[in-house]
Every structure is written in C-alpha cells, then in structure tokens.
Amino acid sequence: MENRSLLSLSLALLSFLSPCLTALTPRVSFQMGSPGRHVTLFSSPDVSNTSTLLLSEDGDMLYVGARDAVLALDVSHKEAITLRSKLDWSPSEKDLEQCSMKGKKMANCPNFIRVLQFLNATHIYACGTFAYSPRCTYITSETLMMSMKPDEGRGRCPYDPYQRNTAIIVDGELYTGTVADYRGNRPVISRHLSEGRRVDLKLDDTLGWLEDPTFISSSFIPDEEKIYFFFSEVGREYDFIDKFIVSRVSQICMSDVGGQRTLQRRWTTFAKAQLLCQADNELPYNVIQDIDSLPPAEGAPADDTLFYGIFTSQWSVNSGRSAVCSFRLADIKSVFSGNYKVLNRDTLQWSTRVQEKVANPGECGLHNASDNALRFVKENFLADDSVRPVGRSVTVVSAEHSYTHLTVQRVQAANSRSYTVLFLLTDSGYLHKAVLLQSGAHIIEEVQVFEQPQPIKSLKLSTAKGMLYVGSSEGVVRVPTANCSFYWTCPQCILARDPFCGWDPNIRACVEASSSQASLGQDVDRGNVEEACNSVSFSHRARFSPNKLPAGELVSVSLNEVVRLQCPAASLLSQQLWERPNSRLSSDLYLHLEDGSLSFVATPATLGPYLCLSTENGYQQTVAIYHVQQRSGPVAQTPSSYNWPQNPPIATTEAGARLRPSAGPEGTETSQIETEPTPTSRDALRGRNVSLWEEEPKEAELRDRGPLQSARGPCYLKELVVVSVLLVLSLSLLITTLLYLFRQRCRSRTAPQARPPSRDSDRRTPADQEGLRGSQVLSKRNGQARGFACNGALTGSNGHLPNTPI
C-alpha cells in the first residue's frame, strides 16, 4: 500500500510538471474530393471491409483482403484503379448457421480476410475468420485462383474479425501473433509452414509469457535473423490496483527449432522488454497503436534501423493525446543483452536480484543448450531495463488529433540531405504528412481520405511509385506522396517545406525534387523565401504608386453601408494584415474578424483602397487589393497619390505580389504590383477568386459595376435599430419636458398670492363692501361662479380655492 501511495503521488507530480503542448496545425487542408489534391478511390457495391493490403514489389498490383473476397487491383495507372480479378471466398449456409448458434452476430460471421502474405513469387497465402472458424489457403497471384482446398487456420488468424493480429512470411515460413482459441483467451506467437527438419513452434501456454496482449505489428531484420513483435499487454511487474497496460517488443530467432527435452516444440529464444514512450518529467504514453520500421540509410549499419510508433495513454491527464516515439535497433539489442527480471512462482511477483547467469535469454542457438540453461531462460524472459526513445524525448505530441496508423519514409532533398516524413492517419479520417525537423514536426498538409471513422484501417506505402494506399470499410484510397503542382508560386513552394518539392527557376514551376537537380530552390529546414527565391524587397510606399493605383477589385457601396472585405488565407499558418495608405485602421472604425476579413461602415473617411497582406514565417505577400468607393451620385474621384504612415514596415515579395515592369509616361519602366492568388485554409483551392483590373476604370464603367456581394452587408437592420432607439429617446425627453413645464405653470397659478387693493375698492363705501361680501357668500352657497384649477381642484370665481379667506 505504501508503494501504491508513492506511485500515486509521483503520477500527480508528473501531471503538474508536464509542459504545455505546441499545437500541430497542418499548413494546408484538403477536403474529400478537393481538386487541389488528386485522390483516387476504389469502391464497389458488392465489396466491403477492404482493410488488408498487400502490394507487389514493382508497385503495379495491389491485393486486397475484403469480406468474403480477395481482390487484385491494377494500380499501374495514375488516373484510376481498376479491378483485374476477384476471388469469392465465403462460408456456406451451414457455417453461418453454426456461427449464429454460437451466439455471434450475423454481421461478424462472414469470412474477413486478415492474413495476406506473399509465399513466393507465384503464390499468396491468405487466412480469414470464416464464421469464427479460421481457414487458410494458397492463391495463385496471377489468376487469383485457389491452388488447394482451405485448411484449418487456428493460431494463424484470429476468430474475431475485429481482433488485431500480425503476420509475416520469411523464407516460406509464417510467423504470427494472434489468439488460438474461440474465446480469445490463448494468445500465441507461433511459426507455421515449416518443412524438413524444422518444426512449427509456439509459446508455452503454462508460463504466462503473454498477458492479454493486443498484437500490433511484426518486423524482420535480415542481418539479425530475428523477428520482432510489437504489442501491448498487462504489465504484471507493476503492483497496481488497476491493470496497468505496457507496450512491449519481443524477439525470436529464425534458427530456433525448440529444445530437445525441455521446451520441446516451444520457443527457446523468446524474450520481451518494455517500450517506454516518455519524455523527461512527463507521464508515459503506454499504449501502442501502430508501428513501422525505417531501414537505415545506404551504407549505415543495421543497428541504425528505427521503429516509429504511435502511442496513447491510459492516464486521464493525457487523455485524448497521441504521441510518436522512435526507437533504435541498437537500443533494443542492448536491453535484450542486459539483466532480466525473476518471477517468483509462489507469489507471482517480479523482482530483480543479482544472480549468476546460466544463459543469455534471447540469444540465438539456445535450442542446443543444456536443460539447466533452458530452464533458466524459461523462467527469465522479461528484460529488466526498458527501451527508451531516441534522444530520450517524444518525437511528436498532439492534443488535437488522435492518430491510429502510420507509415514512414526517408526522403532525399535537393541538397542531398535526408529527411524523415511521417504519414499519420487520424481517427476522424484525415491523413497528415509531416516532416521531422530539428525545430520539431512540421505538418505539410492534411488530406481527408474517408468521411466516416472506420473500425479497421491499414496503410501501405509504395516508395517506388510514390503512392500511399489506405484501406477502410468504404474502399481503397490512393494518395500520391507528393503534391508539388499545387504550389504555383515560388514562395508557396518554399513555405510548404516539403522535401518532395522544389522550385525550378527555368520553367517557373514547383516540381518533384531529386538530388540531381541542384538548381532547385528549396529550404526544408528554415523555409526562407528571400534566399530560396531571390526575391526583392520594397516598402509600403511602393505598393501604391503616386501615378497609378495597383490592380485590384472594385467595391461600389452606399454611404453608411456595412462593408466586409474578404482576405483569403495563404495557408492555415499565415496571418492576415490589412493596410490602407491615408490613415491607420483604427479600432473605432474597423473590425478585424476571426476569418481575417475586415468590416467597417462606409463613410467618406473609409472610402479608398485597401490592401490585405499574408504573413508566414517572416514573409509577406499581397493576397487581395480592394478599391472601395461610393455607388450612388457622382462617382468619387480616387486620389492619384497617397501618403503612408511614418516608418512603414518592410515586406518582401517574389510571386505573391510580384513587381511587373510597365511602360511609364516617358517610355521608362515603372513598378506595378500584380497580385497572385493563394490557396485558402480548409478548402485550399479558393485562391483564384480575386478578379484583377489593370487600368484606372472610367467614370461610366464605375457606375455600371454592381456591388460586390461578398463585401456588402445584407441589410440596414443595424442602422434602423439605432435610429429607432434615438427617436424614442428624443420623444420621451420632449414629452417629459412639456409635462414638467405644464406642472410648473400650474403650481404658479394655484399658489396663494397677496393681491393689492384696487382703486375701485378704495372708492367703495363701507356699506358697499359689506354688500359685496354678502353676495359672494351667497354665490358660494348656491354653487355659482365655480371652475377647475390646473390641478383639478374646484375654485371660485375669484380664482382662489373654495373656503379660502380673501
């Protein structure tokens, strides 16, 4: 319990120490069917689950293991994939009925081809699940016909069509990693099709050499004469409450024929070690998803063979992340030649103790060893040390994309340097092409290869043809590894940083690079456009010539209209910047939207030219120029010269905004800016959407031009709401003022006042005054001479309130 507490504490500390991840954003993205990326799809209504792929050596024929069928596809033509032949291989009605009686779903009872390997130059060895009763057969590669009756495939092919397995044929012998029973509880690494004095071998089931494994891949190293298996399993050496998954690499020797008395017909050279995909101060990525081998460069030793694998983590702190780690063959051999753990059969606990080595586990030739040595290697098959990644660091870490499959290729660039290119398949249906640089991984592009996530997928790379094949339930997709023709300018070709592509200055095109073309412009490491394209620099003042405006798109608007100017992104890694000559783009007048567009209200101060720049890796290029002017009434005259703000920044250009000589007033050449279309972000092909005009438009032409729909607001709703609110406020203020004045007037009229005696009253006699008072009292009693005051109270004829003494 104390060890578990310490482990939990250490995992918590590691989670806090994990560094922030750098977002891996593909530079260009292509949707399914985009004309900017040529992708060929093969599909047929009667063919499904085309998930097992086998490519011929010359790359002209692709054999596909599907459901109830084996296909031979002709892939020699670049424009299409054609079906040359098809072998139907399905269970009988009786087999399907027995499969259903076993409690299996009918959807899983067909024959799913899971093993497809070349046996020799003329035959293919194929195995299928065959209604949860595996079968294997020999198929003629030329005619795609069975050469013999299918036999039992137990231990060669899985029963469950969705259970992962691995198989490889070397020198006519089949080496497999799968399960050997119906329930999937007996994992086995075995050899089949042995002839002569060689016998078929498998693991000893009673030793627990494998703990609920998931087989991923297998690889043959000719110089070592060994087969390496990669899988994940439960790590029994760790005393955890929950099952801890670990990734493994195991090895067996091809020369192994089993022991004479001990380990008869069993492997004597089996050994396994942990693959640790982990960087310093980070939690490990412990679950392997896929792995591929990269042979050493020409002239390098076999120990330089690299294995690139995709790993995920079972820890919640790393949930959703994918990591790519590389392992060197020399490090794997070093771990296998070191110490081994000891298993206590009574407590089933692994420990490491210093002991005398009777034999070296994993060493070839142990089948001739003594019984004592074989018993030692039988008990000691787990290496004590773990295989660490190259450089003790993770090659790629992504929190945005969940990778499932990969393949790797070494590419020689125009400068004769070699670069490693990874092709990574995501669970969302995208293929990422990434080049590994000293600064980190750079994702050149992503291509959507299928729309729906597929349960079974595979990748097959043809380096000879430069093609990549993806197998899924929807069909087979072929993707060229290079897409150089998409970059139609030198800056775009250089900024792609694709080792497959380089800029040819002679034909002014981006072409596939080779070491023989030393004149190609290419900079994979830095992507420096100025040096690779020999571009010139010029200031903002040169963009708008004093004598003539540059070419651009005319936008006719009305005053007080909401204008929105679009700015196509050169790539997903670029940033858009707006400029205009006579004023700065104040945040009070202009709104920069997330998609890079610019929005503002058309006023006399906001009319005029606008320039959109795209900045990427220190390089600026012009992607759009607009001239906004008033539509109604007399056409506003565009000024012929502009003054830029002080200390303008410097921009470089070569083709994105290219200086083109044009005839000046006196026959001299002046510089005119010509904008080049650039690819957009997700669709990556909306680049040529800016219509250019060369000359200053005439006044009549400006009146005839319609408004740019993409640059106008849909209605005047915003202005209507503002005017309505102001009108309501004004009316409310006016009514309140009138009521206040009326109330003040009424108060002044109803307030009691000391009235001075008039001259008539002074002339009256005392008798007359007494009679006058009597008549007033009488009138009050009879209700005569009454009226309403301003506040609604009754008043007398004298203007005073009733009962008010005078």
Side-chain angles (χ1 to χ4, degrees):
M1 293 298 295
E2 182 179 358
N3 293 334
R4 294 173 182 174
S5 301
L6 291 175
L7 176 63
S8 302
L9 179 61
S10 61
L11 292 178
L13 291 175
L14 284 175
S15 64
F16 285 108
L17 292 174
S18 297
C20 298
L21 296 180
T22 303
L24 291 178
T25 303
R27 184 180 180 274
V28 183
S29 180
F30 299 94
Q31 295 294 325
M32 190 101 177
S34 173
R37 193 66 161 96
H38 183 68
V39 175
T40 307
L41 172 65
F42 170 82
S43 62
S44 178
D46 58 343
V47 175
S48 62
N49 291 92
T50 53
S51 57
T52 305
L53 305 180
L54 178 65
L55 190 65
S56 62
E57 186 176 357
D58 57 5
D60 291 337
M61 189 68 62
L62 180 68
Y63 299 94
V64 181
R67 188 181 72 173
D68 294 334
V70 177
L71 312 177
L73 302 180
D74 187 357
V75 294
S76 59
H77 303 285
K78 292 184 178 181
E79 300 300 326
I81 300 177
T82 57
L83 177 63
R84 173 177 290 187
S85 55
K86 177 182 177 183
L87 170 64
D88 293 319
W89 186 19
S90 59
S92 62
E93 293 295 334
K94 182 179 179 180
D95 295 326
L96 295 176
E97 183 179 354
Q98 290 179 355
C99 178
S100 179
M101 291 177 61
K102 294 177 182 178
K104 302 301 179 182
K105 296 180 180 179
M106 287 301 297
N108 298 335
C109 288
N111 184 24
F112 295 87
I113 310 302
R114 299 305 306 277
V115 175
L116 202 63
Q117 292 288 319
F118 283 112
L119 183 66
N120 49 41
T122 59
H123 285 79
I124 297 174
Y125 191 76
C127 299
T129 58
F130 208 83
Y132 278 81
S133 180
R135 295 286 188 273
C136 296
T137 187
Y138 297 89
I139 301 175
T140 305
S141 58
E142 184 66 26
T143 60
L144 216 63
M145 299 292 293
M146 289 188 185
S147 58
M148 63 174 294
K149 184 179 179 181
D151 58 353
E152 185 181 5
R154 178 183 299 179
R156 310 178 189 185
C157 179
Y159 289 75
D160 190 336
Y162 298 104
Q163 191 170 30
R164 299 193 66 171
N165 69 302
T166 180
I168 186 173
I169 289 182
V170 181
D171 294 339
E173 295 178 320
L174 176 68
Y175 298 86
T176 64
T178 183
V179 292
D181 67 328
Y182 174 81
R183 299 181 182 273
N185 296 329
R186 291 178 56 193
V188 61
I189 293 178
S190 55
R191 183 176 68 197
H192 304 271
L193 309 180
S194 300
E195 296 180 353
R197 300 180 57 183
R198 297 173 63 85
V199 296
D200 292 347
L201 298 178
K202 63 179 181 179
L203 295 178
D204 194 325
D205 301 332
T206 63
L207 297 179
W209 283 355
L210 297 174
E211 298 287 349
D212 193 17
T214 299
F215 292 100
I216 301 299
S217 179
S218 54
S219 180
F220 168 59
I221 307 298
D223 293 348
E224 298 292 321
E225 293 190 352
K226 291 182 179 180
I227 307 292
Y228 289 93
F229 291 87
F230 299 90
F231 56 93
S232 63
E233 66 173 356
V234 178
R236 297 298 182 186
E237 66 269 29
Y238 296 97
D239 186 16
F240 287 177
I241 299 177
D242 297 330
K243 291 183 178 180
F244 177 56
I245 306 299
V246 296
S247 298
R248 303 285 198 198
V249 54
S250 67
Q251 61 131 56
I252 52 96
C253 293
M254 295 177 57
S255 59
D256 197 347
V257 294
Q260 298 179 0
R261 289 176 295 274
T262 303
L263 293 178
Q264 290 185 1
R265 293 183 176 270
R266 300 293 186 269
W267 294 108
T268 63
T269 57
F270 174 80
K272 66 180 181 180
Q274 181 180 356
L275 287 175
L276 192 57
C277 181
Q278 179 186 19
D280 294 337
N281 301 328
E282 288 188 3
L283 288 173
Y285 296 89
N286 55 318
V287 183
I288 187 173
Q289 300 294 327
D290 195 19
I291 199 164
D292 190 26
S293 62
L294 181 64
E298 186 177 357
D303 287 351
D304 289 342
T305 302
L306 295 176
F307 298 94
Y308 285 87
I310 298 176
F311 295 82
T312 57
S313 177
Q314 72 178 110
W315 311 110
S316 58
V317 68
N318 285 342
S319 178
R321 298 181 184 178
S322 294
V324 176
C325 284
S326 60
F327 304 91
R328 195 180 304 275
L329 178 61
D331 298 332
I332 297 177
K333 293 170 59 178
S334 176
V335 170
F336 280 135
S337 61
N339 296 327
Y340 281 76
K341 296 182 183 295
V342 178
L343 178 63
N344 189 329
R345 291 293 178 180
D346 297 331
T347 62
L348 297 180
Q349 297 291 325
W350 289 92
S351 63
T352 303
R353 65 172 183 263
V354 179
Q355 58 182 350
E356 182 182 356
K357 265 191 177 184
V358 180
N360 294 323
E363 184 180 6
C364 295
L366 289 175
H367 55 276
N368 294 323
S370 62
D371 292 341
N372 188 25
L374 292 180
R375 280 192 295 268
F376 179 83
V377 300
K378 178 180 178 179
E379 299 288 339
N380 302 270
F381 54 86
L382 178 59
D384 182 40
D385 199 5
S386 300
V387 183
R388 301 277 179 171
V390 176
R392 299 283 179 131
S393 62
V394 180
T395 304
V396 178
V397 180
S398 176
E400 301 85 8
H401 313 286
S402 179
Y403 295 123
T404 59
H405 289 73
L406 90 162
T407 185
V408 60
Q409 180 181 359
R410 181 179 284 107
V411 181
Q412 191 172 20
N415 58 0
S416 300
R417 290 188 56 185
S418 296
Y419 295 89
T420 301
V421 177
L422 298 177
F423 297 94
L424 303 163
L425 186 64
T426 69
D427 58 355
S428 58
Y430 283 87
L431 179 69
H432 287 185
K433 182 172 75 171
V435 57
L436 302 182
L437 307 174
Q438 292 183 354
S439 57
H442 169 67
I443 302 182
I444 302 170
E445 62 179 357
E446 69 172 3
V447 184
Q448 188 179 20
V449 292
F450 51 85
E451 296 180 354
Q452 300 297 329
Q454 304 298 313
I456 301 176
K457 302 174 288 290
S458 59
L459 288 178
K460 190 65 66 174
L461 176 65
S462 174
T463 56
K465 298 293 184 179
M467 294 293 176
L468 189 70
Y469 299 91
V470 183
S472 68
S473 295
E474 295 182 358
V476 178
V477 178
R478 181 178 63 186
V479 183
T481 56
N483 190 31
C484 303
S485 60
F486 173 75
Y487 310 107
W488 52 81
T489 65
C490 182
Q492 290 297 320
C493 186
I494 301 303
L495 290 173
R497 304 172 76 174
D498 191 342
F500 287 97
C501 303
W503 181 260
D504 191 340
N506 298 324
I507 62 175
R508 301 189 61 81
C510 193
V511 298
E512 293 192 28
S514 63
S515 58
S516 60
Q517 297 172 298
S519 61
L520 291 183
Q522 190 184 59
D523 191 352
V524 180
D525 294 302
R526 298 181 301 163
N528 192 315
V529 175
E530 273 193 51
E531 295 183 1
C533 296
N534 296 323
S535 60
V536 297
S537 301
F538 63 97
S539 65
H540 293 308
R541 196 180 304 275
R543 292 199 183 100
F544 289 97
S545 171
N547 299 324
K548 177 176 288 188
L549 288 175
E553 185 171 353
L554 178 65
V555 181
S556 299
V557 297
S558 301
L559 292 181
N560 298 324
E561 179 182 352
V562 178
V563 182
R564 183 173 180 177
L565 303 179
Q566 300 288 345
C567 184
S571 73
L572 293 177
L573 300 180
S574 63
Q575 295 180 352
Q576 290 91 332
L577 174 66
W578 285 93
E579 293 182 355
R580 61 173 312 192
N582 287 337
S583 64
R584 298 184 182 274
L585 300 182
S586 173
S587 59
D588 298 335
L589 299 178
Y590 298 93
L591 180 62
H592 295 266
L593 303 180
E594 293 183 357
D595 60 351
S597 59
L598 184 68
S599 180
F600 57 91
V601 177
T603 63
T606 58
L607 298 178
Y610 289 84
L611 181 68
C612 179
L613 302 175
S614 176
T615 303
E616 181 181 355
N617 198 27
Y619 171 75
Q620 281 189 347
Q621 58 180 326
T622 304
V623 294
I625 297 177
Y626 297 98
H627 295 283
V628 181
Q629 56 187 33
Q630 187 177 353
R631 183 193 321 115
S632 60
V635 179
Q637 296 296 328
T638 306
S640 59
S641 62
Y642 299 93
N643 296 322
W644 284 95
Q646 296 297 325
N647 299 326
I650 301 299
T652 57
T653 183
E654 193 275 344
R658 186 169 58 246
L659 289 176
R660 189 180 60 185
S662 58
E666 301 177 359
T668 60
E669 290 186 353
T670 61
S671 296
Q672 180 180 353
I673 302 176
E674 178 185 357
T675 58
E676 286 284 346
T678 54
T680 61
S681 57
R682 176 63 68 175
D683 190 31
L685 200 67
R686 294 180 299 167
R688 303 182 182 270
N689 62 348
V690 180
S691 58
L692 307 179
W693 49 280
E694 299 288 337
E695 300 294 337
E696 183 82 22
K698 296 182 180 179
E699 190 170 307
E701 294 178 352
L702 296 179
R703 287 194 295 266
D704 295 338
R705 289 181 182 265
L708 180 65
Q709 296 298 331
S710 62
R712 294 182 52 191
C715 61
Y716 299 96
L717 179 61
K718 182 177 179 181
E719 290 80 2
L720 180 61
V721 172
V722 174
V723 173
S724 300
V725 172
L726 293 177
L727 180 60
V728 171
L729 293 176
S730 301
L731 290 176
S732 301
L733 182 60
L734 179 61
I735 293 173
T736 303
T737 304
L738 291 176
L739 290 176
Y740 177 79
L741 295 176
F742 183 73
R743 183 176 180 87
Q744 291 296 114
R745 181 180 179 184
C746 291
R747 285 182 178 180
S748 64
R749 293 178 60 182
T750 57
Q753 300 178 2
R755 300 178 58 184
S758 62
R759 295 181 179 180
D760 293 337
S761 62
D762 295 338
R763 294 176 182 177
R764 293 192 184 110
T765 62
D768 295 337
Q769 294 179 359
E770 183 67 23
L772 181 60
R773 285 195 296 269
S775 63
Q776 291 177 352
V777 172
L778 180 62
S779 64
K780 291 177 183 179
R781 292 178 179 177
N782 296 334
Q784 298 175 356
R786 292 190 177 184
F788 289 94
C790 294
N791 57 1
L794 291 174
T795 61
S797 60
N798 57 0
H800 294 281
L801 294 175
N803 302 324
T804 301
I806 300 177

